Amino acid sequence: MINRVSHVCVHVLDQDRARQFYTEKLGMEVRSDVTMGDGFEGAGQGFRWLTVGPAGQPDVEIILADCAMGHDEATAAQLRDLVAKGALGAAVMNTDDCRKSFEELSARGVVFLQEPAERPYGVEAIFRDDSGNWFSLSQAR
């Protein structure tokens, strides 16, 4: 049976810009940044495997995937459009103090779609990454 999740995929519009956003603005650390060679399964000309993760959670990696990775050009174009529109919600990121994290991340230039608000499950704010993906920043009750 499945016993844990190790990787999640977030499609981004520019991997260099995403790396900078996730590390400098969100404070994550780079886990992998390698180029897979030609002919790698389904990659054609190869692709960049870029992952980041929260410093305190070494067993989780967020794959910052180019929209073309594993897709034909038509599908990659559709993905780019959906990401840029903000149509894809990617994940919930936990914090001990949502309001404090909101202030800190806002000061670093992170764009919030919703300020912290009380919810039945705790306090939540919604932000976007530099590509358009949205995330819930949540503080559990």
Side-chain angles (χ1 to χ4, degrees), residues 46-62:
F47 64 91
R48 182 178 180 188
W49 180 259
L50 172 61
T51 69
V52 297
Q57 196 173 14
D59 61 337
V60 172
E61 295 186 52
I62 300 168

Side-chain angles (χ1 to χ4, degrees), residues 10-11 21-22 26 82-93 110-114 121 124-138:
V10 174
H11 289 96
F21 177 87
Y22 282 80
L26 298 185
L82 289 170
V83 169
K85 282 183 188 179
L88 302 177
V92 176
M93 296 188 185
V110 174
V111 174
F112 279 82
L113 304 175
Q114 294 178 8
Y121 45 84
E124 177 186 51
I126 306 293
F127 71 91
R128 289 180 74 168
D129 70 5
D130 64 308
S131 292
N133 298 296
W134 63 270
F135 296 86
S136 167
L137 178 66
S138 294

Side-chain angles (χ1 to χ4, degrees), residues 23 36 46 51 53 113 139:
T23 58
M36 304 302 228
T51 69
L113 304 175
Q139 172 188 338

